[in-house]
Amino acid sequence: MKIIMLGAPGAGKGTQAKMLADRYKIPHISTGDIFRANIKNGTELGKKAKQYMDQGLLVPDELTCDLVMDRIQQEDCANGFILDGFPRTIPQAEALRAALAGIDQKMDYAIDVDVPDENIVNRMSGRRVCTDCGATYHIVTIPTKAEGICDRCGSAVVLRDDDKAETVRKRLEVYHEQTRPLIDYYKEQDIVRTVDGTKPMEEVFADIVAILGQ
Ligand code: AMP
């Protein structure tokens, strides 16, 4: 099963993607996580990506597309994968479509996790991420057991630089301009399914599983 998670930044698509990857035993591919790992490891890609991410802007397609195309051709993707944060532009979606068409495949579902803008800024200012293993939390809805410490690996959890209110507003603007048109793009292919992302996380998950089956 090949799934795209659509939705505004902070809609909870990363959390859902991780849960779905676990349930369906397919890899969770997050371009944001890949960029953050590169930043942490000080790679050239990381240095370039950071300049855009810190401003709430998209990393250019030429730095993003090849990375994903290589990843989805790895062996662990043979039974499917979940794309989280990719595609984010129509050219990225076209690159994905062309790459899959080349191996006679296509995406099965684009799950749109729908959350109104007014909820997003609040949600993201409460979001915390582990500096080591990348686990995500929320100070109100998914708190860590010990304040500031990751339940999973014991490292520090922090507010991501790009989750600060000013950057979030820019990211939302970019989402509406460049990423939201993907909903119509995938509607034309009849693979969009919308879920209400304002519901509690477990209910959103159940709604998605009801769509995907098993
Ligand atoms: P995310 O963790 O998905 O919210 O991504 C964090 C940031 O990484 C975004 O605000 C972008 O700057 C960058 N990014 C992640 N995925 C992409 C993508 N598909 N295209 C361009 N930039 C991306």
Side-chain angles (χ1 to χ4, degrees):
M1 188 150 39
K2 293 186 283 301
I3 305 164
I4 296 168
M5 302 302 290
L6 295 174
K13 56 187 188 308
T15 305
Q16 295 298 331
K18 282 178 201 152
M19 292 160 77
L20 292 166
D22 231 37
R23 174 164 184 127
Y24 294 101
K25 307 277 176 275
I26 48 178
H28 165 216
I29 303 173
S30 154
T31 38
D33 284 353
I34 295 172
F35 289 136
R36 282 184 288 278
N38 274 275
I39 291 172
K40 199 171 153 202
N41 295 329
T43 68
E44 275 312 305
L45 172 65
K47 282 179 202 151
K48 286 185 191 151
K50 189 173 184 336
Q51 298 168 9
Y52 299 93
M53 290 167 75
D54 283 353
Q55 296 178 64
L57 300 174
L58 294 185
V59 177
D61 290 346
E62 57 271 25
L63 295 179
T64 310
C65 287
D66 290 351
L67 174 87
V68 177
M69 300 320 144
D70 287 345
R71 179 67 190 88
I72 63 176
Q73 282 171 44
Q74 286 169 26
E75 226 175 274
D76 62 339
C77 291
N79 291 325
F81 47 82
I82 302 173
L83 294 178
D84 163 19
F86 184 93
R88 258 181 158 100
T89 64
I90 298 281
Q92 289 182 9
E94 290 288 0
L96 176 65
R97 176 148 74 172
L100 288 174
I103 47 172
D104 217 12
Q105 294 191 18
K106 59 184 189 50
M107 297 305 297
D108 297 307
Y109 290 103
I111 304 291
D112 173 30
V113 183
D114 186 36
V115 175
D117 279 8
E118 53 271 28
N119 298 19
I120 296 279
V121 179
N122 280 344
R123 278 186 177 217
M124 287 170 90
S125 58
R127 188 153 84 164
R128 297 291 181 271
V129 60
C130 174
T131 47
D132 195 40
C133 75
T136 45
Y137 300 92
H138 189 281
I139 51 174
V140 178
T141 51
I142 326 168
T144 49
K145 290 193 185 98
E147 202 184 314
I149 306 288
C150 179
D151 294 354
R152 197 163 7 139
C153 75
S155 302
V157 299
V158 297
L159 178 70
R160 261 165 53 178
D161 280 344
D162 60 346
D163 280 349
K164 292 180 178 145
E166 221 179 273
T167 318
V168 169
R169 274 188 280 274
K170 182 68 198 169
R171 288 171 71 194
L172 270 176
E173 203 181 296
V174 168
Y175 167 74
H176 282 285
E177 267 170 28
Q178 302 196 54
T179 306
R180 218 181 137 80
L182 289 175
I183 296 182
D184 283 336
Y185 176 89
Y186 286 116
K187 270 188 182 160
E188 275 170 30
Q189 297 170 36
D190 200 24
I191 61 168
V192 174
R193 304 290 181 272
T194 301
V195 293
D196 178 356
T198 64
K199 290 187 188 174
M201 176 176 87
E202 296 77 12
E203 284 180 40
V204 179
F205 182 62
D207 288 349
I208 300 175
V209 170
I211 292 165
L212 301 178
Q214 306 152 40

